[in-house]
Amino acid sequence: MSTTPISQRKPIMRLNNVRRTYVTGEGSLEVLRGANLELRPGEMVGLVGPSGSGKSTLLHTAGLLESPDEGLVEVDGVDAATMSERERTLTRRKKLGFVYQFHHLLPELNAIDNIAAPLMIDGVKRSAARARAQKLLNAMGLSDRATHQPGQLSGGEQQRVAIARSLANHPRVLIADEPTGNLDPTTTTAVFQSLFDTARTEQVAVLVATHNLELTSYMDRVLTLKDGQLAKADL
Ligand SMILES: Nc1ncnc2c1ncn2[C@@H]1O[C@H](COP(=O)(O)OP(=O)(O)OP(=O)(O)O)[C@@H](O)[C@H]1O
Ligand SMILES: [Mg+2]
């Protein structure tokens, strides 16, 4: 693990003056109005705030799934606005990891293959992909569940497999939208512990939107969206 303090590491993701307005039949809604963010390797950042405040919009923008109307989104020093469609796809695939509230595991594949398959699609040899998958399963406390299919795993176990899958290709930034939204409190704590231990060890920057304020004790910083801008949350 790097001994450089997090605050002195070069940001792996930067958002600068990001604006996003949704235009619908009812009019326009300015969701992001100049949001600024810097994420550094190994840093855990929480994003809290009321429903509709723009958390998912911010995560989609940071994850290059949506483009801002104005402002800079930079991943590993590259301005997303300068990327071709293919470069955006590759950046998403190689540098970003995503975890959602519902995990979207492939039901016909067992746990280890759900994690290894995307790596193999990326050209990693089967043996290396499976070794990486097993290592992540171990880190998530699922060493003995490798051959279980999703239907043979509990909800918390499935979500841990999904997190392992999102970390498999060594992303630099993990973007998680309510990753434990459908889990009970004990499972939630266990899942978060595994996620954060692994992210910390592998120096992944993590941006997590959550309604669960108890999880903020795991974070280095907690932000909220106030009038479309990111600010330190009052907890
Ligand atoms: N594609 C869209 N078109 C129009 N309006 C949208 C669109 N996506 C989101 N919105 C609106 O933008 C606002 C912010 O939505 P967003 O999903 O970012 O909120 P959120 O903070 O993630 O909420 P939650 O906690 O409920 O997940 C909401 O008022 C929503 O209705
Ligand atoms: Mg949301």
Side-chain angles (χ1 to χ4, degrees):
M1 206 186 292
S2 163
T3 49
T4 313
I6 287 174
S7 61
Q8 288 172 25
R9 295 178 195 161
K10 190 171 163 283
I12 186 69
M13 171 166 284
R14 289 204 309 141
L15 268 57
N16 189 32
N17 194 29
V18 164
R19 295 178 173 271
R20 183 80 174 100
T21 299
Y22 291 116
V23 181
T24 64
E26 271 100 79
S28 64
L29 183 66
E30 289 183 283
V31 178
L32 303 177
R33 301 194 222 175
N36 296 308
L37 175 68
E38 287 193 348
L39 289 178
R40 294 166 202 281
E43 182 178 39
M44 316 287 158
V45 177
L47 180 56
V48 300
S51 183
S53 58
K55 301 181 297 297
S56 294
T57 303
L58 185 94
L59 296 189
H60 293 160
T61 308
L64 311 187
L65 297 163
E66 285 187 37
S67 298
D69 302 318
E70 251 182 72
L72 173 80
V73 178
E74 200 180 79
V75 183
D76 203 6
V78 181
D79 177 354
T82 68
M83 294 176 191
S84 66
E85 209 39 56
R86 183 178 152 70
E87 283 165 340
R88 284 171 81 86
T89 305
L90 282 176
T91 303
R92 272 202 299 270
R93 211 156 80 196
K94 304 228 176 259
K95 298 200 171 162
L96 307 178
F98 297 91
V99 186
Y100 300 99
Q101 181 172 358
F102 299 101
H103 51 70
H104 310 296
L105 294 174
L106 295 171
E108 67 279 14
L109 294 187
N110 64 25
I112 195 165
D113 288 332
N114 259 290
I115 303 166
L119 292 177
M120 288 161 62
I121 291 168
D122 260 355
V124 177
K125 282 206 179 106
R126 183 181 165 84
S127 57
R130 294 189 118 230
R132 171 73 178 149
Q134 186 63 57
K135 185 176 175 212
L136 285 164
L137 280 173
N138 299 349
M140 294 288 151
L142 294 175
S143 48
D144 53 358
R145 295 288 189 276
T147 59
H148 287 230
Q149 289 181 321
Q152 302 167 323
L153 295 168
S154 75
E157 290 169 345
Q158 291 175 34
Q159 197 61 340
R160 272 182 276 178
V161 173
I163 291 169
R165 180 183 55 182
S166 73
L167 290 167
N169 64 343
H170 296 281
R172 307 296 309 279
V173 181
L174 184 72
I175 295 172
D177 202 349
E178 289 284 350
T180 53
N182 61 341
L183 303 179
D184 68 69
T186 313
T187 310
T188 295
T189 307
V191 169
F192 252 78
Q193 194 69 59
S194 318
L195 164 61
F196 282 172
D197 286 349
T198 307
R200 195 79 87 184
T201 310
E202 301 201 345
Q203 290 209 17
V204 184
V206 182
L207 180 60
V208 188
T210 182
H211 285 286
N212 187 340
L213 293 182
E214 282 176 28
L215 295 178
T216 57
S217 60
Y218 292 91
M219 318 280 182
D220 297 306
R221 292 189 285 145
V222 184
L223 304 173
T224 191
L225 277 159
K226 274 206 185 84
D227 302 324
Q229 298 194 342
L230 284 167
K232 194 170 174 293
D234 302 319
L235 298 171

